[in-house]
Coordinates of all heavy atoms in Angstrom, one line a residue:
R1 N 0.8 -1.2 0.0 CA 0.0 0.0 0.0 C 0.9 1.2 0.0 O 1.9 1.3 0.7 CB -0.9 0.0 1.2 CG -2.0 -1.0 1.2 CD -3.1 -0.7 2.2 NE -2.6 -0.7 3.6 CZ -3.3 -0.2 4.6 NH1 -4.5 0.3 4.4 NH2 -2.8 -0.3 5.8
T2 N 0.5 2.2 -0.8 CA 1.1 3.5 -0.8 C 0.1 4.6 -0.8 O -1.1 4.4 -1.2 CB 2.0 3.7 -2.0 OG1 1.2 3.6 -3.2 CG2 3.1 2.7 -2.1
Y3 N 0.5 5.8 -0.3 CA -0.4 6.9 -0.2 C 0.4 8.2 -0.4 O 1.6 8.3 0.1 CB -1.1 6.9 1.2 CG -2.0 8.1 1.4 CD1 -3.2 8.2 0.6 CD2 -1.8 9.0 2.4 CE1 -4.0 9.3 0.8 CE2 -2.7 10.0 2.7 CZ -3.8 10.2 1.9 OH -4.6 11.2 2.1
Y4 N -0.1 9.1 -1.2 CA 0.6 10.4 -1.5 C -0.2 11.6 -1.2 O -1.4 11.6 -1.3 CB 1.0 10.4 -3.0 CG 1.9 9.3 -3.4 CD1 1.4 8.1 -3.9 CD2 3.3 9.4 -3.4 CE1 2.2 7.1 -4.3 CE2 4.1 8.4 -3.8 CZ 3.5 7.2 -4.3 OH 4.4 6.2 -4.7
A5 N 0.5 12.6 -0.8 CA -0.1 13.9 -0.7 C -0.6 14.4 -2.1 O 0.1 14.1 -3.1 CB 0.8 15.0 -0.1
D6 N -1.7 15.1 -2.2 CA -2.1 15.6 -3.4 C -1.1 16.5 -4.2 O -1.0 16.4 -5.4 CB -3.4 16.4 -3.3 CG -4.6 15.5 -2.9 OD1 -4.6 14.3 -3.1 OD2 -5.6 16.1 -2.4
S7 N -0.3 17.2 -3.4 CA 0.7 18.1 -4.0 C 1.8 17.4 -4.8 O 2.5 18.0 -5.6 CB 1.3 19.0 -3.0 OG 1.9 18.2 -2.0
V8 N 2.0 16.1 -4.5 CA 3.1 15.3 -5.1 C 2.6 14.2 -6.0 O 3.4 13.5 -6.7 CB 4.1 14.8 -4.1 CG1 4.6 16.0 -3.3 CG2 3.5 13.7 -3.2
K9 N 1.3 13.9 -5.9 CA 0.7 12.7 -6.6 C 1.0 12.8 -8.1 O 0.8 13.9 -8.7 CB -0.8 12.6 -6.3 CG -1.4 11.3 -6.7 CD -2.9 11.3 -6.2 CE -2.9 11.5 -4.7 NZ -4.3 11.4 -4.2
G10 N 1.5 11.7 -8.7 CA 1.8 11.7 -10.1 C 3.3 12.1 -10.4 O 3.7 11.9 -11.5
R11 N 3.9 12.8 -9.4 CA 5.3 13.2 -9.6 C 6.3 12.4 -8.8 O 7.4 12.2 -9.2 CB 5.4 14.7 -9.3 CG 4.6 15.6 -10.2 CD 4.9 17.1 -9.9 NE 4.6 17.5 -8.6 CZ 5.5 18.0 -7.7 NH1 6.8 18.1 -8.1 NH2 5.2 18.3 -6.5
F12 N 5.9 12.0 -7.6 CA 6.8 11.3 -6.7 C 6.4 9.9 -6.6 O 5.2 9.5 -6.7 CB 6.7 11.9 -5.3 CG 7.3 13.3 -5.1 CD1 7.7 14.1 -6.2 CD2 7.5 13.8 -3.8 CE1 8.2 15.3 -6.0 CE2 8.0 15.1 -3.7 CZ 8.4 15.8 -4.8
T13 N 7.3 9.0 -6.4 CA 7.1 7.6 -6.2 C 7.9 7.1 -5.0 O 9.1 7.2 -4.9 CB 7.5 6.8 -7.4 OG1 6.8 7.2 -8.6 CG2 7.2 5.3 -7.2
I14 N 7.1 6.5 -4.0 CA 7.8 5.9 -2.9 C 8.0 4.4 -3.1 O 7.1 3.7 -3.7 CB 6.9 6.2 -1.6 CG1 7.7 5.8 -0.3 CG2 5.6 5.5 -1.6 CD1 7.1 6.3 1.0
S15 N 9.1 3.9 -2.6 CA 9.4 2.5 -2.7 C 10.3 2.0 -1.6 O 10.8 2.9 -0.8 CB 10.0 2.1 -4.1 OG 11.3 2.8 -4.2
R16 N 10.5 0.7 -1.5 CA 11.4 0.2 -0.5 C 12.1 -1.1 -0.9 O 11.5 -1.8 -1.7 CB 10.7 0.1 0.9 CG 9.6 -1.0 0.9 CD 8.8 -1.0 2.1 NE 9.6 -1.2 3.3 CZ 9.2 -0.9 4.5 NH1 8.0 -0.3 4.8 NH2 10.0 -1.2 5.6
D17 N 13.2 -1.3 -0.4 CA 13.9 -2.6 -0.6 C 14.3 -3.1 0.8 O 15.3 -2.7 1.4 CB 15.1 -2.4 -1.5 CG 15.8 -3.7 -1.9 OD1 15.6 -4.7 -1.2 OD2 16.6 -3.6 -2.9
N18 N 13.5 -4.0 1.3 CA 13.7 -4.5 2.6 C 15.0 -5.3 2.8 O 15.6 -5.4 3.8 CB 12.5 -5.4 3.1 CG 11.3 -4.5 3.4 OD1 11.4 -3.3 3.6 ND2 10.2 -5.2 3.5
A19 N 15.4 -6.0 1.7 CA 16.7 -6.7 1.7 C 17.9 -5.8 1.9 O 18.9 -6.2 2.4 CB 16.9 -7.5 0.4
K20 N 17.8 -4.5 1.5 CA 18.8 -3.5 1.7 C 18.5 -2.6 2.9 O 19.3 -1.7 3.1 CB 19.0 -2.7 0.4 CG 19.4 -3.5 -0.8 CD 19.6 -2.6 -2.0 CE 20.1 -3.4 -3.2 NZ 20.3 -2.5 -4.4
N21 N 17.4 -2.8 3.6 CA 17.0 -2.0 4.7 C 17.0 -0.5 4.3 O 17.5 0.4 5.0 CB 18.0 -2.1 5.9 CG 17.9 -3.5 6.5 OD1 16.8 -4.0 6.6 ND2 19.0 -4.0 7.0
T22 N 16.4 -0.2 3.1 CA 16.4 1.1 2.6 C 15.1 1.5 2.0 O 14.5 0.6 1.3 CB 17.5 1.2 1.5 OG1 18.8 0.9 2.0 CG2 17.6 2.7 1.0
G23 N 14.6 2.7 2.2 CA 13.5 3.2 1.6 C 13.9 4.3 0.6 O 15.0 4.9 0.7
Y24 N 13.0 4.6 -0.4 CA 13.3 5.5 -1.4 C 12.2 6.5 -1.7 O 11.0 6.1 -1.5 CB 13.7 4.8 -2.7 CG 14.8 3.8 -2.6 CD1 14.5 2.5 -2.4 CD2 16.1 4.2 -2.7 CE1 15.6 1.5 -2.3 CE2 17.2 3.3 -2.6 CZ 16.9 2.0 -2.4 OH 17.9 1.0 -2.3
L25 N 12.5 7.7 -2.2 CA 11.5 8.6 -2.7 C 12.1 9.1 -4.0 O 13.0 9.9 -4.0 CB 11.2 9.7 -1.7 CG 10.1 10.7 -2.1 CD1 8.8 10.0 -2.1 CD2 10.1 11.9 -1.2
Q26 N 11.5 8.7 -5.1 CA 11.8 9.2 -6.4 C 11.0 10.5 -6.7 O 9.8 10.4 -6.7 CB 11.6 8.2 -7.5 CG 11.9 8.6 -8.9 CD 13.3 8.9 -9.1 OE1 14.2 8.1 -8.8 NE2 13.7 10.0 -9.8
M27 N 11.7 11.6 -6.9 CA 11.0 12.9 -7.2 C 11.3 13.3 -8.6 O 12.4 13.6 -8.9 CB 11.5 13.9 -6.1 CG 11.3 13.4 -4.7 SD 11.7 14.7 -3.5 CE 13.5 14.9 -3.9
N28 N 10.2 13.4 -9.4 CA 10.3 13.9 -10.7 C 9.5 15.2 -10.9 O 8.7 15.5 -10.1 CB 9.7 12.8 -11.7 CG 10.5 11.5 -11.7 OD1 11.7 11.5 -11.4 ND2 9.8 10.4 -11.9
S29 N 9.8 15.9 -12.0 CA 9.1 17.1 -12.3 C 9.1 18.1 -11.1 O 8.1 18.6 -10.8 CB 7.7 16.8 -12.8 OG 7.7 16.0 -13.9
L30 N 10.3 18.2 -10.5 CA 10.4 19.0 -9.3 C 10.0 20.5 -9.6 O 10.3 21.1 -10.6 CB 11.8 18.9 -8.7 CG 12.0 17.6 -8.0 CD1 13.5 17.4 -7.8 CD2 11.3 17.7 -6.6
K31 N 9.4 21.1 -8.6 CA 8.9 22.5 -8.6 C 9.7 23.3 -7.6 O 10.2 22.7 -6.6 CB 7.4 22.6 -8.4 CG 6.6 21.8 -9.3 CD 5.1 21.8 -8.9 CE 4.2 21.0 -9.8 NZ 2.8 21.0 -9.4
F32 N 9.7 24.6 -7.7 CA 10.3 25.4 -6.7 C 9.7 25.2 -5.3 O 10.4 25.2 -4.3 CB 10.2 26.9 -7.1 CG 10.8 27.8 -6.1 CD1 12.1 28.0 -6.0 CD2 9.9 28.5 -5.2 CE1 12.7 28.9 -5.0 CE2 10.4 29.4 -4.3 CZ 11.8 29.6 -4.2
D33 N 8.4 25.0 -5.3 CA 7.7 24.8 -4.1 C 8.0 23.5 -3.4 O 7.6 23.3 -2.2 CB 6.2 24.9 -4.3 CG 5.7 26.3 -4.5 OD1 6.5 27.3 -4.3 OD2 4.6 26.5 -5.0
D34 N 8.7 22.6 -4.0 CA 9.2 21.4 -3.4 C 10.4 21.6 -2.5 O 10.8 20.7 -1.8 CB 9.5 20.3 -4.5 CG 8.3 19.8 -5.2 OD1 7.2 19.7 -4.6 OD2 8.4 19.6 -6.5
T35 N 11.0 22.8 -2.6 CA 12.1 23.1 -1.8 C 11.8 22.9 -0.3 O 10.9 23.6 0.2 CB 12.6 24.5 -2.1 OG1 13.1 24.6 -3.4 CG2 13.8 24.9 -1.1
A36 N 12.6 22.1 0.4 CA 12.3 21.8 1.8 C 13.4 20.9 2.3 O 14.2 20.3 1.6 CB 10.9 21.2 2.0
V37 N 13.4 20.7 3.6 CA 14.2 19.6 4.3 C 13.2 18.4 4.3 O 12.1 18.5 4.8 CB 14.6 19.9 5.7 CG1 15.3 18.7 6.3 CG2 15.6 21.1 5.7
Y38 N 13.7 17.3 3.7 CA 12.9 16.1 3.6 C 13.4 15.1 4.7 O 14.6 14.8 4.8 CB 13.1 15.4 2.2 CG 12.2 16.2 1.2 CD1 12.6 17.4 0.7 CD2 11.1 15.6 0.7 CE1 11.8 18.1 -0.2 CE2 10.3 16.2 -0.3 CZ 10.7 17.5 -0.7 OH 9.9 18.2 -1.6
Y39 N 12.4 14.5 5.4 CA 12.7 13.6 6.4 C 12.0 12.2 6.1 O 10.9 12.2 5.7 CB 12.1 14.1 7.8 CG 12.7 15.4 8.3 CD1 12.1 16.6 7.9 CD2 13.8 15.4 9.1 CE1 12.6 17.8 8.4 CE2 14.3 16.6 9.6 CZ 13.7 17.8 9.2 OH 14.2 19.0 9.6
C40 N 12.7 11.1 6.4 CA 12.0 9.9 6.4 C 11.7 9.5 7.9 O 12.4 9.9 8.8 CB 12.8 8.8 5.7 SG 14.4 8.3 6.5

């Protein structure tokens, strides 16, 4: 299951690789308003 904020839907993709103990956030079509500190 995945869920996205409306502001990023269609542009961002969340995924994970449990074998690598790593989560990912692929961010495409970035906008100026995406500027921020990002936390997992």
Side-chain angles (χ1 to χ4, degrees):
R1 292 197 295 170
T2 59
Y3 180 63
Y4 298 91
D6 288 341
S7 60
V8 306
K9 195 173 300 181
R11 300 188 297 120
F12 291 11
T13 302
I14 189 170
S15 63
R16 66 190 299 163
D17 187 340
N18 287 342
K20 296 181 178 180
N21 291 323
T22 303
Y24 303 97
L25 184 69
Q26 178 67 46
M27 305 185 296
N28 298 328
S29 301
L30 282 162
K31 306 174 181 178
F32 177 77
D33 288 345
D34 294 320
T35 296
V37 177
Y38 283 71
Y39 300 89
C40 68

